Amino acid sequence: MTGLLFLVVFALLAWGMTKESRIYEFPFQIGAVTFAFILVQVPGLAHDYFVPDAAFIKTVAFMILCLSMCWLGWTRSAKPFALLEWTFSETRLLFAAMCFSVIGAYFYFALSRLPSELTIAVQMTGIPVIFVFFSRLLVYGLAISVLCLVRRFSLAALAVVTFDVAFIADRIVRGGSRADTVELFMIFALAWWFYRGRAIPRSLALCGLVFGTLLMNSVGEYRAISKSDSGLTWQDITEIDLVGNTSAVLSRGGDEFRNAINRVSYTNETMQFDYGLSHWNNIIFSFVPAQLLGTKFKADLMIPLPSVAKDYNPILGTTETGLADAFQSFWYFGAIKFFLLAYILRRIFASADSGEFAGQFVYVLSVVPAMHAISHKTDWILMVWVHMALFAVPILAFTLLPSRHRSALPS
């Protein structure tokens, strides 16, 4: 089963190498994050005495099924979303980017001033969550300004991009954020592809994947250095053993996939499912402020769900992977979540590739949370879309050209 899983992952990566545009498409991206984050954890657990063979095989089989659904859902004949066919004023877009950036920068700065013990490698609650929630607006400003800048150079767009990158780079350096690093890269790379038709060399993409895998398994050590009293020092960073840390994960297995095995096994034994209602609870938890509406009101909106396994305690800072919540929802049929995600992303990508700015904006900001569907949770992408609907859509509506002036923007 381990060999078959490796074969499926390598097949997704090979699929992405057959055409230059495919490195920006979901099947390759989900294969890449699986290779870097999960695949290295599997061999060590395959021979772990404390991991039952049956539980391991069920989890690996379900993962293969989910990865296959990601490929099947990315249909070649997908049509662009009519909902994303809008024409925007570039001047208004840049003004909106400035507004997003200023507001988001305030919360980025406030978040950076909090003690690292509250924000790095911990489950954030309270004030930090609010700061993160609104700091996301800065990323909206960056995405808009980068798309405008690549389409047509302007000093205003360049200024907004420079301003935003400075804040995001601070979070990357201080917190070792993998998601922010990949998102920053993908915003620029996708903008260059949509407007210039140029992709990064596929050989460079593979080299980046290998190097990213080494970095992925040393982030914990980097964050520990960042949280130490002495802070980040170049000497401490250079002493991180990238190869040794990855080899250790390969030999002993990883905590995330171990969590997934435990959750899948427990759900298969109890046959108690949430039927996707956990996504509703997570939306309520994330977007209904108890400080304003009251804890009881928020709790009343929640739907009671089956209890999770009590016979193991996940290490703080680790995930249970999207495999766990998909299996918890519909048993093996939970793989349909990945099919639907791939299908929706394919239509968004079709809109973006056809030159629709709204499609480009949504896609560049959906790539990273979609990749997290396999490694963290399947509803992260849903949270991003709800956040966009609440904050980005009202502001972008202001930037629409009146119907009598609408015409396709030149490429």
Side-chain angles (χ1 to χ4, degrees):
M1 290 302 293
T2 302
L4 183 58
L5 176 60
F6 270 73
L7 181 63
V8 170
V9 173
F10 286 136
L12 290 174
L13 297 178
W15 177 90
M17 292 294 103
T18 58
K19 190 176 180 181
E20 62 178 4
S21 66
R22 287 184 174 177
I23 62 174
Y24 300 129
E25 300 182 20
F26 184 58
F28 174 79
Q29 293 163 354
I30 207 73
V33 75
T34 302
F35 176 87
F37 188 77
I38 298 180
L39 206 61
V40 294
Q41 303 184 22
V42 176
L45 296 176
H47 303 288
D48 191 318
Y49 178 82
F50 296 100
V51 176
D53 287 348
F56 177 88
I57 291 173
K58 287 184 177 67
T59 307
V60 172
F62 184 62
M63 185 172 187
I64 292 172
L65 181 60
C66 292
L67 292 174
S68 301
M69 290 297 105
C70 292
W71 182 77
L72 290 173
W74 193 263
T75 172
R76 294 289 96 194
S77 58
K79 297 180 180 179
F81 275 122
L83 183 65
L84 299 176
E85 295 176 1
W86 300 98
T87 304
F88 299 88
S89 163
E90 185 173 342
T91 302
R92 293 182 181 181
L93 279 174
L94 286 175
F95 179 75
M98 293 177 188
C99 293
F100 279 136
S101 299
V102 170
I103 297 172
Y106 170 80
F107 289 98
Y108 249 96
F109 179 79
L111 185 66
S112 69
R113 301 282 73 81
L114 294 176
S116 59
E117 293 79 8
L118 300 178
T119 60
I120 299 177
V122 296
Q123 181 66 47
M124 289 188 290
T125 59
I127 294 298
V129 173
I130 297 174
F131 289 173
V132 170
F133 190 81
F134 287 103
S135 69
R136 183 69 184 169
L137 299 182
L138 183 118
V139 182
Y140 293 170
L142 175 65
I144 293 172
S145 57
V146 168
L147 289 168
C148 289
L149 179 66
V150 175
R151 175 181 174 269
R152 180 166 55 205
F153 178 84
S154 71
L155 291 177
L158 179 61
V160 177
V161 170
T162 304
F163 177 81
D164 293 341
V165 168
F167 282 91
I168 296 175
D170 175 73
R171 175 182 286 184
I172 292 173
V173 173
R174 292 181 69 251
S177 174
R178 297 168 294 200
D180 287 323
T181 303
V182 175
E183 185 169 56
L184 181 63
F185 171 79
M186 292 302 297
I187 287 174
F188 282 93
L190 282 167
W192 196 255
W193 169 255
F194 291 142
Y195 284 110
R196 304 294 178 180
R198 298 178 183 176
I200 63 173
R202 281 163 279 183
S203 58
L204 183 61
L206 283 179
C207 291
L209 176 60
V210 174
F211 183 63
T213 302
L214 297 176
L215 290 177
M216 185 85 68
N217 295 288
S218 297
V219 167
E221 189 172 345
Y222 179 91
R223 289 173 176 171
I225 295 172
S226 178
K227 292 173 65 175
S228 65
D229 295 335
S230 59
L232 289 171
T233 63
W234 182 248
Q235 180 179 353
D236 290 337
I237 294 174
T238 56
E239 290 177 355
I240 296 176
D241 186 359
L242 300 180
V243 176
N245 291 338
T246 303
S247 299
V249 175
L250 276 169
S251 62
R252 72 168 184 267
D255 296 317
E256 281 79 8
F257 199 68
R258 189 188 302 274
N259 293 340
I261 292 172
N262 287 327
R263 279 287 301 277
V264 168
S265 177
Y266 177 81
T267 302
N268 190 69
E269 290 174 4
T270 62
M271 295 299 285
Q272 295 181 349
F273 308 108
D274 62 42
Y275 302 106
L277 296 176
S278 59
H279 300 327
W280 167 261
N281 284 357
N282 289 336
I283 290 174
I284 297 300
F285 178 81
S286 300
F287 294 99
V288 176
Q291 296 89 340
L292 298 178
L293 301 176
T295 303
K296 184 179 184 304
F297 177 81
K298 185 172 183 175
D300 289 341
L301 294 176
M302 298 279 194
I303 299 174
L305 299 176
S307 61
V308 297
K310 297 294 195 303
D311 57 347
Y312 82 102
N313 186 25
I315 298 174
L316 183 64
T318 65
T319 76
E320 294 182 310
T321 77
L323 303 173
D325 75 72
F327 197 90
Q328 176 76 50
S329 291
F330 302 108
W331 198 50
Y332 287 98
F333 297 103
I336 194 67
K337 288 185 177 183
F338 292 90
F339 178 88
L340 293 174
L341 175 58
Y343 176 76
I344 294 172
L345 284 174
R346 179 66 184 93
R347 296 194 62 182
I348 297 173
F349 184 78
S351 298
D353 220 21
S354 67
E356 297 294 342
F357 178 87
Q360 295 165 357
F361 175 78
V362 174
Y363 190 76
V364 300
L365 296 177
S366 299
V367 167
V368 171
M371 292 165 65
H372 280 86
I374 196 76
S375 61
H376 289 68
K377 282 183 174 292
T378 58
D379 59 11
W380 277 22
I381 182 64
L382 181 61
M383 302 302 159
V384 168
W385 287 339
V386 172
H387 195 281
M388 284 186 194
L390 291 175
F391 295 96
V393 171
I395 299 299
L396 290 179
F398 162 77
T399 70
L400 288 171
L401 285 174
S403 58
R404 64 180 181 275
H405 296 307
R406 287 181 187 171
S407 60
L409 288 174
S411 59

